Amino acid sequence: MSKGRLLVVDDEVNVRRSMEMIHEGAGYEVHCVETGEAALDFLAACSDAARPDLVYLDIQMPGIDGLETLRRIQDAWPGQPVVMISGHANVEGAVGAMKAGALDFLEKGFSKARLLATTGAAMERGSLRREVANLRARLEAGEAEEILGDSEAMQALREQIARVAPSPARVLITGESGTGKELVARAIHRGSQRTTKPYLRLNCAAVPEELIESELFGVVKGAYTGATETRDGKFGAADGGTLFLDEVGDMSPRVQTKLLRALQEGEIEKVGSHELEKVDVRVLAATNKTLEEEVAAGRFREDLYYRLAVVPIHLPPLRARKEDVPLLAAHFAARYAAENGLPARELEPAVLERLARHDWPGNIRELRNVVERVLIMGSSELGAALGTGGGAGRGAAPGGGLGLPKGEKELLAAVAERLLGRPLKETRIGFERAMVEAALARHDGNVTRAAADLGLERTNLHKKIKQLES
């Protein structure tokens, strides 16, 4: 595996060739350009995963000089590690480079040992600088690393994470969109023995099928039009760490086969290459699909499913843990204030009560959006934010009563009229049995989907079925 990617920027061809030969001989990937303008163009064309780990930048060049190039790099890509080089080293130039954000300053005429030592030290410092910057950004944004919620479901989830995180097991995280699957993946990585190693994410549904293979496994120069250099994919970049494959259920059959081999053998093959490379990556996967159904339909490989789902973790929809809604809403309100430099503001009790009654088809993501909209526009916007219009929404219908929407209230009133005279307990049990049977029939006996419709955990639905059968 490559030790890292370098960009060398120097107008002297001999310097470029020398640095390229020394570094490639030591196991680095090197790309060379001769002007500051070319360096900026190259960096702009790189994806985050393909960006160089270190840039060597000459001070004196035609066009924009090295110091101006350095300033532009720091403005566009804060934290990008850069070492300045010059054939006319002086204290003033070194101090100016360090003030502009360079990690180090190297005088031309360096030995091979000095160059490689500078590269190694700079890459370590650059990695630490990025980690600190990422941590600071998360803290300043008020990002919640904690899995929030006091419900039984969330307590059980935290216990599952604590048990599986230290192990090397692969985990398949399932649940509806917006339930926090990536938050769980990050928590598993933080609790693992790989916590100091890279954590990378790939949304399999967002990458075109013709590109996902190279995104996963890398590509060699010339493999296809546009492959202008050899680069690592996510597996190579995450070597030693964790790779989170989001929406893995959308992966094509061809890529599923290659992913299976990577998991079975611990080997990958770049697009356009016939050489196998060993990788050590813990894979966490997530999907909002029911993969058992995808396997039965022939859209997902059964052997890959069992490789990914060594430990399955299912996230409940928000409607199944409504007792957590006030806590989450208060958290998002505090986070919004912190992100925008505003004084903390509490949501009104009536707003929290109304939020707790909503079914949240968009789950936690929808809740956050609604909270922010109410904070910006005022509580009078709540009905529109919940999609109920003018405050007459689900759980708060005009006309009072039990707060049911008009159509539901009339339907239930008609049913109740026919059942009057029977004991209330008998009627309730009959309603529950009918609702459970209807949900199971709608989903052809799939307990997981029926439980989601009923706002129950899967285990609770099993218990309910046994109670109704007794």
Side-chain angles (χ1 to χ4, degrees), residues 240-251:
T242 303
L243 175 58
F244 174 52
L245 299 178
D246 199 6
E247 304 301 349
V248 71
D250 292 275
M251 189 176 284

Side-chain angles (χ1 to χ4, degrees), residues 75 164 171 194 196 247 260 268 417 432 467:
D75 285 344
V164 74
V171 181
R194 300 169 181 258
T196 60
E247 304 301 349
L260 178 64
I268 60 171
E417 182 71 26
E432 287 185 350
Q467 289 173 1

Side-chain angles (χ1 to χ4, degrees), residues 205-286:
V207 181
E209 183 179 347
E210 62 271 16
L211 295 179
I212 192 169
E213 188 176 340
S214 60
E215 283 293 312
L216 278 171
F217 308 118
V219 62
V220 298
K221 182 178 180 179
Y224 53 76
T225 303
T228 58
E229 63 174 341
T230 298
R231 63 177 177 84
D232 284 336
K234 296 290 187 182
F235 266 93
D239 192 30
T242 303
L243 175 58
F244 174 52
L245 299 178
D246 199 6
E247 304 301 349
V248 71
D250 292 275
M251 189 176 284
S252 70
R254 181 174 60 85
V255 180
Q256 288 178 34
T257 301
K258 297 208 169 187
L259 175 59
L260 178 64
R261 185 176 70 181
L263 298 180
Q264 287 177 330
E265 309 296 336
E267 296 177 336
I268 60 171
E269 186 178 298
K270 287 186 172 73
V271 175
S273 172
H274 299 292
E275 295 183 7
L276 294 176
E277 302 176 27
K278 284 286 186 182
V279 289
D280 174 24
V281 177
R282 183 185 190 181
V283 171
L284 308 176

